Amino acid sequence: MSNPLLLSGDAAAAALLDRAQSELASLLVKPHLHVVRLGDDPASVSYTRMKARRAKKIGLESTLTELPSDTSEAALLELIAALNADPLTHGILVQLPFPKESAVREAVVLEAIHPDKDVDGLHVVNVGRLWSGREGLRPCTPAGIISMLDFYGIDLARKSVVIVNRSQLVGKPLAALCLERNATVTIAHSRTADLEAVTRAADVLVTAVGRVGFITPEMVKPGGVVIDVSVNRIVVDGADRLVGDCASGVFDVAGAITPVPGGVGPMTVSHLLYNTVLAAKRQLERSQSTSSD
Ligand code: NAP
């Protein structure tokens, strides 16, 4: 097989942002996203600035607070408490991972964010809401993948989905979302026996291992859908390049595949903005129903 359908994140993200903007038009306030970053890791600097910039571009308010890498946990928790209490802040995102030298505990910080402002969807309350099928903020990368599949009309019902990743950020929440869509889901990881046989049986294979060339053509079902979540930095001719997990030969086997860059990445950012609009809408509805009680 050659020339698989390229699942463009840019096209699917534009559709998702259209949805966010039509919700936005019905709101009486401008949703406000507050992004917080510790330290100056180049990738984190670029991600946080891009998120704050894109938020403004679609008509949201955004603030980026850049803190030194030696910021104490207490100081960060104080900032989060103030943002939780601020009715004009609708979404809070703390960029992960923290710098290696930081003593701040990620889990403590994630749990300090009010679940209704947790636009990354990683608070345990939102994890519980996801697994129990209740309304909540969904994690951006998995929800972005589902929006992309919807955009391209790829129905998961009765399909076999294999996810090579079991992190809280990608694999576990994506499994829950695929189950909601009536897929039969397998989560594979570093201890999975005969990984090639497992992945080759997948109608939809999602890889987020973080290793260049990890997925070879033999691991892919001919004509299957491949979603490559990974972002690996390599140097080619002295220049930095981003690539996923798939070896180039996978493009000859897959029926549809996400490019890296330009695949899952734009969906993740767009879902963050969508979540911010949704969070603002729900907070406003709640405050209106409380004031009318
Ligand atoms: P992670 O926590 O390190 O997860 C990596 C997963 O790969 C783990 O579940 C690990 O299994 C599995 N793995 C490692 N070696 C393996 C092997 N030999 N065979 C099978 N499975 C193996 O990383 P993450 O935070 O989930 O991120 C994964 C990748 O996605 C990274 O490249 C990251 O940059 C990218 N990412 C991209 C986006 C985006 O928007 N595009 C968003 C989030 C993440 P074990 O659990 O057994 O160790």
Side-chain angles (χ1 to χ4, degrees):
M1 189 163 305
S2 58
N3 294 332
L5 171 66
L6 271 189
L7 304 173
S8 159
D10 293 325
L16 182 58
L17 289 180
D18 279 350
R19 260 168 69 200
Q21 277 176 314
S22 59
E23 296 274 6
L24 196 58
S26 65
L27 293 181
L28 296 174
V29 300
K30 229 182 191 189
H32 187 167
L33 170 66
H34 199 118
V35 179
V36 181
R37 191 191 70 242
L38 257 57
D40 52 9
D41 168 72
S44 290
V45 169
S46 122
Y47 284 142
T48 47
R49 291 187 182 164
M50 183 252 289
K51 287 168 183 172
R53 204 176 48 242
R54 295 251 173 105
K56 285 208 168 101
K57 206 170 158 200
I58 70 150
L60 310 184
E61 202 66 63
S62 74
T63 304
L64 171 58
T65 297
E66 301 175 294
L67 299 170
S69 60
D70 62 357
T71 300
S72 69
E73 191 170 283
L76 186 53
L77 292 178
E78 203 176 308
L79 170 63
I80 291 171
L83 296 175
N84 282 341
D86 175 13
L88 296 179
T89 297
H90 304 97
I92 305 168
L93 178 138
V94 180
Q95 183 68 31
L96 299 177
F98 291 140
K100 280 194 186 70
E101 63 275 21
S102 171
V104 180
R105 292 165 293 172
E106 289 185 0
V108 171
V109 171
L110 287 182
E111 246 99 287
I113 297 170
H114 192 290
D116 295 343
K117 297 190 178 189
D118 165 42
V119 283
D120 242 350
L122 299 175
H123 192 288
V124 283
V125 167
N126 280 318
V127 175
R129 286 173 178 163
L130 167 63
W131 281 99
S132 51
R134 286 172 47 195
E135 187 177 81
L137 293 165
R138 304 305 193 218
C140 301
T141 300
I145 291 171
I146 297 293
S147 295
M148 170 183 268
L149 294 170
D150 284 348
F151 178 78
Y152 283 99
I154 298 170
D155 182 11
L156 293 182
R158 309 177 71 85
K159 300 267 172 58
S160 151
V161 175
V162 174
I163 305 165
V164 193
N165 179 296
R166 59 171 157 179
S167 72
Q168 305 289 348
L169 193 62
V170 182
K172 287 179 183 168
L174 181 59
L177 293 174
C178 292
L179 284 173
E180 269 180 5
R181 299 299 181 99
N182 297 316
T184 301
V185 183
T186 303
I187 295 192
H189 45 77
S190 64
R191 313 284 176 90
T192 298
D194 199 355
L195 184 64
E196 185 176 315
V198 173
T199 59
R200 208 179 153 80
D203 298 314
V204 178
L205 171 62
V206 181
T207 178
V209 173
R211 274 167 59 178
V212 181
F214 183 83
I215 299 292
T216 59
E218 298 71 36
M219 295 171 81
V220 174
K221 184 183 209 173
V225 175
V226 179
I227 307 290
D228 194 341
V229 182
S230 290
V231 180
N232 304 305
R233 269 167 214 278
I234 57 166
V235 179
V236 178
D237 297 332
D240 265 2
R241 257 186 66 193
L242 299 181
V243 296
D245 287 345
C246 291
S248 57
V250 171
F251 283 74
D252 298 327
V253 180
I257 187 166
T258 55
V260 180
V264 175
M267 297 309 295
T268 298
V269 180
S270 299
H271 224 283
L272 168 71
L273 307 181
Y274 182 75
N275 271 353
T276 305
V277 175
L278 215 56
K281 187 179 170 194
R282 290 179 186 155
Q283 285 160 47
L284 290 170
E285 284 168 356
R286 210 159 301 128
S287 71
Q288 279 160 5
S289 76
T290 319
S291 61
S292 64
D293 283 346

